[in-house]
């Protein structure tokens, strides 16, 4: 049960970050502060997606505190599968470049998960060695 609670916290916090990022991006497009050509929007959403998946992996690693690689990999694969299913249901034409895009998303999520686990593991080691010295 606690595993699902941790996953729910990770998904909800990532959803909140996605919502805020989308609102800011939409506002910037509305105010014409960002180039609205198709290539620019595709490039920007790709970069934003990679950053959001990295943050998702980072939050997963911080909350799980171990197995950041596996946990963020499984979670990001689940999200990518949901995205692919939504694209198939909406009958959007599926392109081969989507697999590269989703692969980058999973990779950045895994990197974030590894970093999230190791970020606090080093602090614990340093605090233990510091306490032993004092």
């Amino acid at each position: 049960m606690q595993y699902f609670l941790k996953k729910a916290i990770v998904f909800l916090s990532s959803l909140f970050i996605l919502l805020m990022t989308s609102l800011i991006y939409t506002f910037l497009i509305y105010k014409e502060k960002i180039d609205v050509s198709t290539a620019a929007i595709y490039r920007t959403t790709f970069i934003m997606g990679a950053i959001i998946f990295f943050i998702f992996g980072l939050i997963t690693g911080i909350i799980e505190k171990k197995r950041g690689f596996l946990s963020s990999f499984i979670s990001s694969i689940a999200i990518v599968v949901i995205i692919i299913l939504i694209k198939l249901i909406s009958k959007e034409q599926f392109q081969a470049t989507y697999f590269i895009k989703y692969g980058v998303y999973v990779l950045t999520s895994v990197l974030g998960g590894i970093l999230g686990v190791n970020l606090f593991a080093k602090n614990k080691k340093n605090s233990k060695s510091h306490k032993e010295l004092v």
Side-chain angles (χ1 to χ4, degrees), residues 45-51 53-54 76 80 83 100-110:
T45 55
F46 175 74
I47 293 169
M48 284 175 40
I51 291 169
F53 268 87
F54 179 79
S76 61
V80 167
I83 292 171
I100 296 170
K101 181 170 122 175
Y102 299 143
V104 169
Y105 289 171
V106 170
L107 180 66
T108 57
S109 177
V110 166

Side-chain angles (χ1 to χ4, degrees), residues 47-62:
I47 293 169
M48 284 175 40
I51 291 169
I52 288 170
F53 268 87
F54 179 79
I55 293 170
F56 173 72
L58 191 68
I59 294 171
T60 301
I62 290 170

